[in-house]
Amino acid sequence: GDRKILKGVNLTVRAGEVHAIMGPNGSGKSTLAKLLAGHPAYVATDGTVRYRGEDLLAMAPEARAQAGLFLGFQYPIEIPGVSNAQFLRLAYNSLQAARGRDELDPLEFDDLVREKLKMVAMDPSFLERNVNEGFSGGEKKRNETVQLAVLRPKFAIIDEIDSGLVIDALRAVSRRIEKMTSENDLGVLAITHYSRLLRELRPDHVHVPRGGKVVLSGGPELADQLESVGY
């Protein structure tokens, strides 16, 4: 509605960097993620967002995705009647078409996606299940990282991907994200409440929002300080 949530966020995330945002509930973390992804309920009334030289806020949500922007949702939705295999192949081929590249037929894509599943220790049987339907919280979050691996974005916003993940799954997810930052120059904005994700993900910078603004920034050691003394 008319409520002003973000009131002066100033960040620069470069290719290959991991930035973490740690803040109390209501500080604007998920609002920032949804604004960047193009959620229609969130409107920027002032300021600019530059993405690879372009005005991100002027782009439609699908154009942002085609340009390499990815959002891993805090609460991934269920899509009954659509299998993960269908969903992933359509998303992948839509990006290929938008970039003037050849699409993959079902057999070619099956080879690709099964290789990606191994990276995050997901059972291939999940491909036949409907998107997130009946998934546990941890499975939903790991499913987001499968999408990340398949779609290979340039910039990923990861909203509390650590919630619902056991330690081994968290480690596998973090290693996959870390591998993409080093191999593909993926820029990452990771939103979290807990330093355990950051101990695995090893961010370059940590930012603390309060009242819609970033009030404190530092290195990865800042996450441990927050864990011990609070916000």
Side-chain angles (χ1 to χ4, degrees):
D2 295 328
R3 188 156 66 96
K4 195 171 184 178
I5 300 173
L6 301 177
K7 303 170 185 176
V9 176
N10 190 355
L11 294 173
T12 300
V13 183
R14 294 180 173 85
E17 290 185 346
V18 177
H19 288 237
I21 294 185
M22 292 183 72
N25 290 330
S27 59
K29 302 185 302 298
S30 290
T31 296
L32 176 61
K34 291 174 182 176
L35 177 72
L36 294 175
H39 193 298
Y42 297 82
V43 177
T45 57
D46 196 11
T48 59
V49 180
R50 305 296 297 178
Y51 171 70
R52 306 182 76 198
E54 301 293 329
D55 180 1
L56 185 74
L57 299 179
M59 301 165 68
E62 61 271 22
R64 300 180 196 194
Q66 290 163 1
L69 188 74
F70 177 90
L71 173 62
F73 288 98
Q74 182 180 7
Y75 303 109
I77 63 169
E78 298 182 5
I79 310 178
V82 178
S83 73
N84 274 292
Q86 293 171 320
F87 178 80
L88 287 168
R89 189 166 74 89
L90 179 59
Y92 179 87
N93 281 337
S94 294
L95 289 180
Q96 290 291 93
R99 296 166 184 172
R101 301 173 184 166
D102 292 337
E103 299 182 14
L104 296 184
D105 64 35
L107 290 177
E108 291 173 322
F109 182 77
D110 189 66
D111 289 340
L112 171 72
V113 74
R114 287 177 184 274
E115 188 62 34
K116 303 299 184 184
L117 290 178
K118 295 176 185 177
M119 296 175 180
V120 291
M122 285 286 275
D123 192 294
S125 64
F126 113 104
L127 290 172
E128 306 310 316
R129 296 168 64 183
N130 292 336
V131 179
N132 293 324
E133 190 174 26
F135 282 32
S136 68
E139 285 178 323
K140 288 181 179 180
K141 293 307 178 75
R142 286 162 66 199
N143 196 12
E144 295 288 290
T145 64
V146 172
Q147 295 174 27
L148 181 67
V150 170
L151 301 179
R152 292 168 58 89
K154 294 292 185 183
F155 183 70
I157 307 156
I158 302 168
D159 196 355
E160 294 193 31
I161 201 156
D162 48 330
S163 63
L165 290 181
V166 298
I167 292 174
D168 289 344
L170 176 63
R171 188 162 293 139
V173 164
S174 298
R175 292 291 79 79
R176 179 58 200 156
I177 295 170
E178 189 177 55
K179 188 177 176 67
M180 290 190 68
T181 61
S182 60
E183 291 183 353
N184 305 326
D185 273 343
L186 175 71
V188 176
L189 188 64
I191 296 169
T192 184
H193 282 293
Y194 306 108
S195 61
R196 69 172 194 150
L197 171 67
L198 306 187
R199 280 194 287 269
E200 298 294 338
L201 202 53
R202 298 191 285 263
D204 300 284
H205 303 279
V206 176
H207 310 283
V208 182
R210 181 181 288 277
K213 295 183 178 182
V214 173
V215 297
L216 187 63
S217 294
E221 70 282 352
L222 179 57
D224 293 326
Q225 294 173 21
L226 294 171
E227 188 92 339
S228 61
V229 304
Y231 294 113

